[in-house]
Amino acid sequence: MFAPSRPIYSVAGIRAIEALALPDARPPLMERAGAAAAALALRLRTGPGAVLIACGPGNNGGDGFVLARHLQDAGLPVSVAFAGEVSRLPADAAAAHSAWLAHHGTTTPELPPPPPGGWSLVVDALFGIGLQRPLEGLYARWIDTLNAQPCPRLALDIPSGLDADTGRALGTCFEASHTITFIALKPGLLTLDGPDLCGEVVVDRIDLAPEELALAPGRDITPALFADRLRPRRANSHKGSYGDAALIGGAPGMVGAAILAGRAAAHLGAGRVLVGLLDPAALAVDILRPELMFRSAADLLADTAIGAFGVGPGLGQSDSARALVVTAIATPRPLLLDADALNLIAREPALQAALAQRSSPTLLTPHPAEAARLLARTTGDVQADRVAAACTLAARLAAWVVLKGCGSIVASPDGQYWINTSGTPAMATAGMGDVLTGLAVALLARGWSARDALLAAVHLHGLAGNRICIEHSIDSGLLADELAPTARRCFNEWIKRGIDRSAPTQEIS
């Protein structure tokens, strides 16, 4: 049916798995990693030219020596650059270096010039997941040279210069067209700068079953996580079977935000969608979506029939907006808070304490600046470790949180997290967060759990953006109001695939 969700581990988690597996590993893990990299390298190389492998002074360099040996065995010309001290190599890397030399291989202390016709592939085997400081000097120059090569560029485990735990480029960083990562995914491959620097990511478990050795704190998001929810509607149903979704916001000058959220909720199948606007002069009808019903925000919050609330799109930060947030927090219904609702809560510790005491599900959808206000930090602090920021916020406010951005992080109150891989830079435009709010509130109104509603809405939101950009061949100019109809189409395709168990497992694009 759907591609399975894959585990994600921090560097410390990967090291713990390696420590458990190393004593009995036959062949050794480094041999397995080098062989897996060679299999991918043989597919990636272009033309008959030589392969250049830049090896570093640690175990990532050892993987590179094993890779070189396998490529040479396959009859390929290979050049290996190594500027480290052999005597300081870790034991496994030293053994791999000796095996490469015994195979009549050689190393050069500088990157050799490209052969006539250029390299067929360049490989970064410099530092991998252990690097935690900016590169400088020789290795920074090497990476600049490797990045300039007009051929496929393969990183082993993670591009050198990229923090494996956070996705933060530490300075000069290898720009890979492909990355083969070993054992399991790492957070830095999927969020912040990672997607721009890793290219296509291939996971090779090197014949390990990591989840049998250590629990994974994170996972990537796929529909497999909520597949049980993807069922066709029963014939004997009516609009009341799918809940009432209420969206509250729309202060003067920002009415469109609440309407975008309402339209998205309608497209995702809420039984009824009600919109409460703060602007008293706004039309009480959406002429393009007359299915939306308009009520006063206060009346909506008092309506016990409402299945789920979304408060914040275009809300503003007036006294009346604050009063609505206070009432919403006290409402015993699933509640999603976004935008100015989060900014109002960030100002007042008492509101944060009240939020953390809610017994009904709470969902928060901050972008990095909003998350920073809630945490009393800077936006830079949040972006420096997005996983930690999302998990801290979820624990502190007893809420399900999505920290939006490149590789959005969904975090649960108990410390688990998920990283989303759908989405496109074309979605970096006004109104996209309002659409996400509407999608999630519709699922809450339909009876989905907070976990499933947030995971599905986040992934669907990005998937719809991907689909539109592919179908229209656009890199920019995507409008928020275009997203909901495509999200509806993708969602219904999920349902169809849930029924057809013979369908292929690749992701809908």
Side-chain angles (χ1 to χ4, degrees), residues 30 33-34 53-69 80-84 89-90 92-98 100 107 123-129 139 142 156-157 160 182:
M30 188 171 287
I53 305 172
C55 291
N59 284 328
N60 200 241
D63 295 339
F65 295 131
V66 177
L67 164 64
R69 196 177 76 241
V80 175
F82 173 63
L89 283 171
D92 286 349
H97 177 265
S98 295
W100 167 240
T107 68
V123 180
D124 163 26
L126 288 170
F127 290 100
I129 64 175
Y139 290 119
W142 279 19
L156 303 191
D157 225 4
S160 293
F182 305 119

Side-chain angles (χ1 to χ4, degrees), residues 344-385:
L344 288 164
I345 291 166
R347 292 180 184 174
E348 299 188 38
L351 289 182
Q352 297 169 37
L355 190 66
Q357 294 300 314
R358 275 176 50 85
S359 57
S360 298
T362 306
L363 287 69
L364 310 179
T365 58
H367 58 54
E370 291 161 348
R373 295 179 195 118
L374 287 164
L375 292 168
R377 299 179 186 174
T378 68
T379 303
D381 291 337
V382 168
Q383 291 292 77
D385 195 337

